[in-house]
Amino acid sequence: MSNQTAVAVAQRAPSESKPKEMRATLAETLIALATEDERIVLLDADLMTAHGTCSFRKQFPGRTFNMGVAEANMVSTAAGLSSTGKIPFAMTFACFAARRAFDQFFISANYARRNVKLVGSDPGISALYNGGTHMTFEDLGIMKTVPGLVVFEPSDNVSLRKLMKKSAGHEGCTYMRLHRKSVVDIYADTEEFELGKGKVLVDGDDLTIIALGALMVPEALKAAEMLAQQDGLSVAVIDILTVKPLDAELVLAYAAKTGAVMTCENHQIINGLGSAVADVLAENLPTPMKRIGIADEFGEVGDLAYLMQRFGLTAGHIAAQARELLKRTCKSGKL
Amino acid sequence: MTNDELSPLKKTANHIRILTIDAIAHLGIGHLGGSLSIVDVLTLLYYRHMDVDPLDPTRPDRDRLVLSKGHAGPALYSTLALKGFFPVDWLHTLNQGGTRLPSHCDMNRTPGIDMTTGSLGQGLSAAIGICLGNRIDGRSSKVYAIIGDGETNEGQVWEAAMAASQFKLNHLIAFTDYNKLQIDGFMHEVMGIDDLNVKWVAFGWFVQRVNGHDLEEMDVAINRAKAETSRPSMIILDTKKGKGAFFAENRVESHNMAIDPKAAEQAIAMLREAGI
């Protein structure tokens, strides 16, 4: 990158930021969007309490449709609403959004070129005590294959708020993977976001860690710090935010700069973020890589700490894998 | 309906049948049976009940039809072409590469098609969405939907049945094309749906059952459905798969059949003789 302009590193949230539930931001943002734009409507499949969207219903009762435990009907209904010019946000757990209502989302919404904003909450291990039945390790893989679909996962309240607005303004369907629990913000309130654009959180020279979502971006940041302190490594961290379309330009620039790339996702390593990055690198700039994510496994119950350990998603595991990768590449000469 | 009103409708239905058989015969294969069984209801909708404008096919306050059994596209294309939504000669492009008339309905390709369908079970839900959108905007336009009897095996149909009733969608008027056949055989042998009336009544719908080839009976039923103030309507149409093409009538293989050009010509001649 020596002949390129200086990297724009994202503005970070103040270190004293308090944790906030992302579902609170979801509801606030929906209300704000619906206040500005009367086309916005909400559909849910009996999870309004879980999504914290009862406040939306209170304010917009005529534009809220609780469809009951019937996700397939919800998604096709959303497509019909879109045919009358509405902008429907339809939400349910990611497992039901991706697995149960996939044909409806594929045909009624996407193939029919409607304008449906599907939200899948509790992705990956964040389903916690709901366990294996509700643990979606495959939604990105499923959704990535829908032609033209925008697939993204905000990493904090700021990116959620701003990317939801971009999603509402996008002509066409989107799939948002949503961690709805409490997180400490990563970004300063003033940071601006685009669908399809990643953010550089930390610049670096020896390795690039590309992470996705509210669970994995903080772990990647911690891992980078561990590698800096314990191994003297300069590790770049990218919050990719959108998996499709992938920010190939950013990925390639950092692959060229650092010569080694890791991906971190709360998802199967098969056909998730790691695969998307590998697709781009293999065709353009083959680069040594390591994918952190769930191996070819089903989920199980547990608390977050247990599940992070169980599926190898912790900062410690990321750092250990980074050392292995860098030993293999020897680019930095520091290991 | 007076005789003066009925006679031209019958002729129009014959004409639509001719165009449908001709379009499918031109390609040599297609979903003839399920197309012909709904020609009469399509005639009645587009020539007597629906407020649509071929010159302005996307007008927001139009009445809409979701043909949930999307494979019956050829019958709807013939109806729309005759009505003036697009030139009749498009019908000979059916299912040819680059056509605007694919076997299953596609709202982005064909003027007058109100919803993309083809994956069975989804259309009634989409019709619900259109009703809800109309309700938000204060439009009292009617939304019609036609589902297949075989399609009724799909669980999503019953999710939609529940929702339409919950939301009291009185502007939704659905039809079941009950020709008693599905791809693999007679419904009672594959996956029966009787007692269909009782099922829809149990879901809270206003249910009527009529002869789906009797224009007068259907006309009365549609008028009664339009007058409904608090419930969605299901009009079950007793129909004959392949109706109007002697070689296809009530035959299981008529679902997606190869057509002998001579037989098609003969069927068309018979319909022409009956008057168009």
Side-chain angles (χ1 to χ4, degrees), chain A residues 41 62-63 65-67 70-74 76-77 79-81 83-84 86 103-104 107-108 111-114, chain B residues 64 106-109 114-117 119 122 125-126 128-130 132-134 136-137 139 156 159-160 163 167:
Chain A
V41 299
R63 287 154 67 181
F65 306 104
N66 195 330
M67 304 304 291
E71 296 79 10
N73 182 51
M74 174 178 76
S76 295
T77 297
L81 272 156
S83 283
T84 64
K86 304 299 167 205
D103 188 45
Q104 287 72 22
I107 298 293
S108 293
Y111 178 71
R113 307 285 198 278
R114 300 299 83 202
Chain B
R64 303 189 201 210
D106 185 335
M107 66 193 300
N108 298 298
R109 289 184 195 272
D114 291 318
M115 187 62 205
T116 296
T117 52
S119 182
Q122 301 184 21
S125 307
I128 288 173
I130 296 169
L132 294 174
N134 282 341
I136 292 171
D137 292 339
R139 288 188 293 263
Q156 189 180 348
E159 294 184 3
F167 294 127

Side-chain angles (χ1 to χ4, degrees), chain B residues 36-228:
Chain B
L36 291 178
S37 58
I38 62 164
V39 166
D40 298 297
V41 69
L42 289 176
T43 303
L44 207 48
L45 288 176
Y46 280 89
Y47 282 84
R48 189 165 166 89
H49 286 281
M50 285 175 69
D51 176 15
V52 290
D53 180 359
L55 299 177
D56 189 6
T58 59
R59 204 186 74 211
D61 65 347
R62 71 192 185 279
D63 291 338
R64 303 189 201 210
L65 170 70
V66 178
L67 181 55
S68 191
K69 45 171 286 182
H71 57 278
L76 182 50
Y77 303 151
S78 299
T79 309
L80 293 172
L82 198 60
K83 183 86 183 167
F85 281 83
F86 49 85
V88 171
D89 60 16
W90 283 20
L91 294 172
H92 274 192
T93 70
L94 179 72
N95 280 339
Q96 311 274 6
T99 186
R100 296 184 68 168
L101 307 180
S103 67
H104 298 84
C105 294
D106 185 335
M107 66 193 300
N108 298 298
R109 289 184 195 272
T110 314
I113 295 293
D114 291 318
M115 187 62 205
T116 296
T117 52
S119 182
L120 292 176
Q122 301 184 21
L124 197 54
S125 307
I128 288 173
I130 296 169
C131 286
L132 294 174
N134 282 341
R135 178 178 285 178
I136 292 171
D137 292 339
R139 288 188 293 263
S140 56
S141 321
K142 301 293 179 201
V143 180
Y144 297 93
I146 302 176
I147 65 174
D149 47 5
E151 179 177 12
T152 300
N153 291 165
E154 290 282 1
Q156 189 180 348
V157 168
W158 301 104
E159 294 184 3
M162 243 182 288
S165 181
Q166 173 74 21
F167 294 127
K168 302 186 181 359
L169 299 179
N170 61 310
H171 296 310
L172 175 61
I173 300 174
F175 302 88
T176 300
D177 175 22
Y178 200 8
N179 58 39
K180 326 292 184 299
L181 281 166
Q182 54 191 124
I183 294 179
D184 280 345
F186 285 96
M187 290 206 67
H188 65 87
E189 290 168 353
V190 180
M191 189 53 66
I193 52 174
D194 281 336
D195 186 338
L196 197 53
N197 302 43
V198 172
K199 285 187 170 78
W200 286 99
V201 168
F203 276 88
W205 288 53
F206 172 46
V207 182
Q208 303 175 80
R209 185 159 183 166
V210 296
N211 178 344
H213 302 306
D214 185 319
L215 294 167
E216 286 176 289
E217 262 189 45
M218 280 193 287
D219 187 54
V220 171
I222 293 170
N223 281 329
R224 289 179 67 192
K226 279 176 162 176
E228 179 60 38

